[in-house]
Amino acid sequence: MGVVFEPKTEENKAGLLEDFLEKAGGCAVIDGGFATQLELHGASINDPLWSALCLINNPHLISKVHLEYLEAGADIIVTSSYQATLPGFISRGLSLEQGEKLLAKSVVLATDARDLFWETVEKIGDHSYNRALVAASIGSYGAYLADGSEYSGYYGEDVDLNKLKDFHRRRLQVLVEAGPDLLAFETIPNKLETQAIVELLEEEDVQIPSWICFSSVDGVNAPSGESFADCLQVLNTSQRIAAVGINCAPPQFVHSLVQKFNELTRKVIVVYPNSGEIWDGVAKRWMPSKCFNDDKFKVLATRWRDSGAKLIGGCCRTTPSTIRGLSKAFKQSCLASN
Ligand SMILES: C[S+](C)CC[C@H](N)C(=O)O
Ligand SMILES: N[C@@H](CCS)C(=O)O
Ligand SMILES: [Zn+2]
C-alpha cells in the first residue's frame, strides 16, 4: 500500500513536501506533458490561451488527462493553468469573475480527479499508488505572451519587477484560495521574474510550498543568459520556495544541471524535461530534434535521481506512457532498497 498523505492545516504546510518525499521513499514522480496529452486526445490548442482553452471548452478532457497520469503512477499532478491568465481570459471577452472561476476550476478539476482516483484504488486494497498531491501550475510571463519568450527570457525594455509582480499577483491569489497542495512556477526564463515571484510570495504571505522551475536552451544558463548561480541566489533565502529545478528543457541537459544545482542550493531539486523536441514560437509547433523515447527517458531519469533530483517527471511531448515507465522503475528500486 502506498502513501496516505493527510491534508495539512495552514500552520503546518511548510514541511509538506519533505514529509511526502520521505514517505514516498525519497523520490516522487510528477506527471508528464499536459497540453501534449490534451492534443493527443484531439484538443485544438493552437491559440494564445494554449492548453487553458480547454478550461473553457473541454473541462472533461482535463479531468480525463489527470486520471490518465494518476493511473500511470504520478505522485504529483500539475493543473491545467500554465497559460491560464486573467488578462488572457479577459481578452477573449470573459469577465474578471469568469476568469477567476476558470482559474479556481483548474485546481478543482485536479483535486477532484485525485480524490476520485484515490477512492477507487483504496477499494482495490493492494496497490502501490500514493495519494497524489496537486500542484497549481503558474506559467511564466513569457507563456502568457505566447511569443516563445519563455525560452528566450527577453520580455522587452518596458517590463520591470513591478510589472511582473502585478501580472502574477491576482492569479496567484485565486489559485492559492482554491487550495492546491503545491504551487509550480514553470518555465521561468530569467532572474527578474525569479525575484518577482520570491517577493510576491512574501508580500502575499503564501503558506503553500512552491517550486520554481527554469527552462534552459543551452544546458548551462537560464534562457536570458543569466547564470543559474545568480538566479538561485535570489531564491535560496526564501522559506516559501521548497524546490527548484528545470522543466521543459531537453533531457540531455538535465544531468549536468542537477549536478550544478546540487552545488548552488540545498533545496529539493525538481526536474521534468520535455522529450527533446524544440518549440518554434513563431510557427507554434514542436520541431523534431534529438528526441528521447520513453526507454531512453527512463534511463536518463534514473541518472537524475541518482545524482540527487527528488521530484522527477516529464514536460511537453512526454505522455502517460513515459510516466508509467518512471513510476515502475522508481518504485521497483525503492522496494529493492527497503
Ligand atoms: C511550453 S510552450 C510550448 C507553451 C506555448 C507557448 N507559450 C505559446 O503560446 O506559444
Ligand atoms: N504544465 C504545462 C507545462 C508546459 S511547458 C504542460 O505540461 O502542458
Ligand atoms: Zn513543457
Side-chain angles (χ1 to χ4, degrees):
M1 172 79 80
V3 178
V4 182
F5 202 73
E6 294 305 325
K8 291 223 160 192
T9 60
E10 277 301 308
E11 294 75 45
N12 64 1
K13 273 181 178 163
L16 175 143
L17 188 58
E18 288 78 1
D19 293 356
F20 184 75
L21 282 169
E22 198 186 316
K23 288 177 188 155
C27 181
V29 175
I30 307 174
D31 64 8
F34 200 83
T36 299
Q37 189 65 3
L38 292 171
E39 282 192 298
L40 287 172
H41 285 305
S44 173
I45 59 170
N46 191 337
D47 184 277
L49 287 177
W50 202 49
S51 54
L53 190 60
C54 290
L55 278 168
I56 301 175
N57 63 20
N58 210 344
H60 295 296
L61 194 54
I62 291 176
S63 304
K64 180 181 165 84
V65 172
H66 283 315
L67 288 168
E68 287 173 336
Y69 276 118
L70 289 162
E71 198 276 327
D75 299 312
I76 301 178
I77 56 170
V78 181
T79 64
S80 50
S81 47
Y82 175 76
Q83 210 146 309
T85 66
L86 293 168
F89 287 137
I90 287 167
S91 73
R92 303 302 279 264
L94 274 65
S95 67
L96 179 64
E97 195 190 0
Q98 287 171 321
E100 291 182 355
K101 278 194 176 144
L102 288 174
L103 286 173
K105 185 168 163 179
S106 69
V107 176
V108 172
L109 289 170
T111 51
D112 281 357
R114 182 267 312 274
D115 293 345
L116 174 66
F117 184 73
W118 186 242
E119 204 179 294
T120 312
V121 292
E122 273 205 309
K123 282 187 192 138
I124 302 169
D126 191 27
H127 64 82
S128 61
Y129 290 108
N130 300 316
R131 182 178 182 274
L133 298 183
V134 168
S137 170
I138 301 177
S140 56
Y141 181 66
Y144 156 69
L145 292 178
D147 61 357
S149 55
E150 65 261 69
Y151 302 110
S152 74
Y154 182 69
Y155 287 168
E157 297 302 323
D158 64 326
V159 176
D160 61 11
L161 190 68
N162 283 330
K163 182 160 182 169
L164 289 176
K165 282 205 263 185
D166 287 345
F167 165 73
H168 278 293
R169 191 180 307 272
R170 185 60 192 147
R171 174 173 56 166
L172 176 67
Q173 290 168 342
V174 175
L175 290 171
V176 164
E177 186 62 26
D181 302 303
L182 301 167
L183 299 173
F185 292 91
E186 303 192 283
T187 63
I188 303 304
N190 59 38
K191 185 177 166 186
L192 187 68
E193 194 162 21
T194 312
Q195 182 81 42
I197 293 163
V198 167
E199 290 187 18
L200 196 55
L201 290 170
E202 206 59 42
E203 286 169 20
E204 297 295 322
D205 191 22
V206 173
Q207 300 297 322
I208 298 173
S210 292
W211 75 58
I212 293 191
C213 279
F214 298 90
S215 42
S216 179
V217 289
D218 65 1
V220 180
N221 296 307
S224 59
E226 293 159 307
S227 72
F228 282 121
D230 276 354
C231 295
L232 267 58
Q233 196 185 22
V234 170
L235 53 80
N236 270 338
T237 53
S238 170
Q239 297 302 310
R240 314 213 182 231
I241 310 287
V244 58
I246 296 288
N247 83 292
C248 217
Q252 68 271 26
F253 292 169
V254 173
H255 181 62
S256 61
L257 287 173
V258 172
Q259 291 176 318
K260 187 194 282 265
F261 279 32
N262 274 327
E263 288 170 12
L264 297 175
T265 189
R266 296 176 68 183
K267 295 195 182 290
V268 167
I269 295 178
V270 42
V271 291
Y272 52 112
N274 58 34
S275 69
E277 287 157 85
I278 309 277
W279 178 249
D280 180 334
V282 178
K284 291 199 171 292
R285 63 190 179 98
W286 291 97
M287 307 298 286
S289 183
K290 190 178 159 92
C291 294
F292 290 77
N293 64 26
D294 290 346
D295 282 339
K296 285 191 199 153
F297 197 97
K298 183 173 69 182
V299 170
L300 289 185
T302 307
R303 287 182 71 197
W304 309 330
R305 184 201 54 188
D306 293 345
S307 51
K310 290 194 163 73
L311 297 169
I312 301 177
C315 203
C316 297
R317 313 297 277 174
T318 67
T319 68
S321 121
T322 320
I323 298 312
R324 192 181 309 281
L326 293 196
S327 174
K328 274 193 184 157
F330 291 174
K331 277 175 189 156
Q332 262 165 19
S333 56
C334 255
L335 282 177
S337 64
N338 284 335

